Amino acid sequence: PEIALEYRRYGDPSWTRAAVTAGDHGGTWDTSSLAEGRYRVRAKAGDHHANSWQDGLWSAETRFLTVVVDRTAPAVSTEPGPGGLVLLAADDLSPVVRVEVLAGGEVLFLGHPADGVADSREERFLIPPPAAGEDRDRTVKVTDGAGNVTELPL
């Protein structure tokens, strides 16, 4: 059978056939030329290799996957808060999934979102002040669900 992978950007009515590079256990699809955004993806199977093009059939589409193309790091800002800083992290496409406070490359602690779960595209974190006697410069590293990272000094 012939397998075709097709995609379209959310809101776009036209499907485009993806250029898939076959591998031993499936294939890869290079999305580097796609604009950032959300895409619907479908796979179709056909029997055109065993039949003439006019007689071949394609499977009916019933299910879609969503693929997010996100190459932009989260936006991060801080403001004074109760007992430290409030860190605001936001990303247009992917959830904010991790906040680390570092000093000299060492992770001092992981941030915990105010709502308890890092699962949204906008999150608030309380960052406590440095421990007494701590004189190392601290940085914060914020990661989104696509692996994009913003790092900035505190």
Side-chain angles (χ1 to χ4, degrees):
E2 179 180 1
I3 305 292
L5 183 69
E6 297 179 330
Y7 66 93
R8 70 179 182 197
R9 192 169 181 154
Y10 269 60
D12 186 347
S14 302
W15 291 95
T16 301
R17 190 167 187 158
V20 176
T21 303
D24 291 338
H25 302 287
T28 58
W29 172 34
D30 180 2
T31 61
S32 63
S33 65
L34 296 180
E36 288 189 342
R38 294 187 189 318
Y39 292 83
R40 289 194 128 184
V41 178
R42 70 181 181 189
K44 291 173 42 177
D47 64 354
H48 296 95
H49 291 299
N51 296 295
S52 69
W53 185 254
Q54 295 83 2
D55 294 332
L57 300 174
W58 282 106
S59 60
E61 60 189 79
T62 56
R63 305 244 188 256
F64 302 97
L65 291 174
T66 297
V67 172
V68 176
V69 177
D70 180 5
R71 298 179 198 92
T72 303
V76 178
S77 64
T78 59
E79 59 188 40
L85 292 175
V86 174
L87 182 135
L88 307 168
D91 192 275
D92 289 337
L93 294 167
S94 299
V96 176
V97 296
R98 187 174 180 94
V99 169
E100 300 168 288
V101 175
L102 306 111
E106 173 189 350
V107 177
L108 299 177
F109 61 91
L110 298 176
H112 297 285
D115 66 1
V117 181
D119 62 351
S120 300
R121 293 190 332 247
E122 293 184 12
E123 294 285 358
R124 297 173 85 81
F125 297 83
L126 179 60
I127 307 296
E134 178 69 52
D135 62 351
R136 296 186 292 176
D137 291 332
R138 299 187 313 160
T139 59
V140 65
K141 181 177 175 182
V142 180
T143 306
D144 71 14
N148 302 305
V149 174
T150 297
E151 197 165 331
L152 57 100
L154 288 177

